[in-house]
Amino acid sequence: MPFAAITYDIKPGCEEELAEIFGSFRRVKSAQVRDEAGEAAGTILATAVFLRDDTLVRVIEYTGDLDAVARHMATQPGVREVEAKLKPYLTRPRDTDTVEGFVATFRRSLLRTVAQISVRDGAPV
């Protein structure tokens, strides 16, 4: 199952405020991701958020189409709420108020996957 990691450029010294924002995160209504036609396009399996100094990283484990996952996330109330709460702590604004803006920001914020190994894939770790 693939992972995606997106970054947020944040002001240093705000770690506690950011931890609080993500600590009260409302889960997505459904882990099932649908495409624009309403067809099954994937699943969000897990998310994790990591923070140090001026970098925050959200990791998403998913199946299916990553663009569909981003579109799904863009419409979720909890994700929209977090994005709004993060605005005062960002050093680089994120255009996440619309689905299109969220997806474009998501793509720009993606870290390149250089290795991914899982025992679920039959690979020794």
Side-chain angles (χ1 to χ4, degrees):
M1 318 251 172
F3 292 87
I6 58 174
T7 61
Y8 298 77
D9 298 316
I10 57 169
K11 297 174 183 173
C14 303
E15 290 88 352
E16 292 308 312
E17 293 88 339
L18 294 166
E20 187 175 316
I21 289 169
F22 280 97
S24 62
F25 176 71
R26 290 190 295 153
R27 294 178 47 88
V28 295
K29 290 181 182 177
S30 171
Q32 181 66 45
V33 174
R34 302 216 172 264
D35 63 18
E36 295 182 64
E39 300 295 320
T43 308
I44 298 174
L45 301 172
T47 62
V49 179
F50 301 89
L51 171 64
R52 186 183 69 210
D53 301 328
D54 62 351
T55 303
L56 186 139
V57 177
R58 175 185 266 168
V59 177
I60 304 152
E61 183 182 16
Y62 67 98
T63 64
D65 178 63
L66 187 56
D67 278 343
V69 168
R71 287 193 168 285
H72 177 76
M73 290 175 63
T75 64
Q76 300 304 302
V79 173
R80 297 185 68 76
E81 183 178 307
V82 163
E83 289 289 333
K85 288 180 178 179
L86 288 175
K87 286 184 180 194
Y89 303 104
L90 299 173
T91 58
R92 184 180 306 162
R94 296 168 60 88
D95 176 19
T96 57
D97 294 336
T98 65
V99 171
E100 294 76 20
F102 184 96
V103 171
T105 299
F106 187 95
R107 286 182 189 140
R108 273 192 311 278
S109 301
L110 271 173
L111 295 174
R112 176 179 158 206
T113 302
V114 294
Q116 182 174 302
I117 301 168
S118 172
V119 294
R120 290 176 288 186
D121 300 327
V125 289

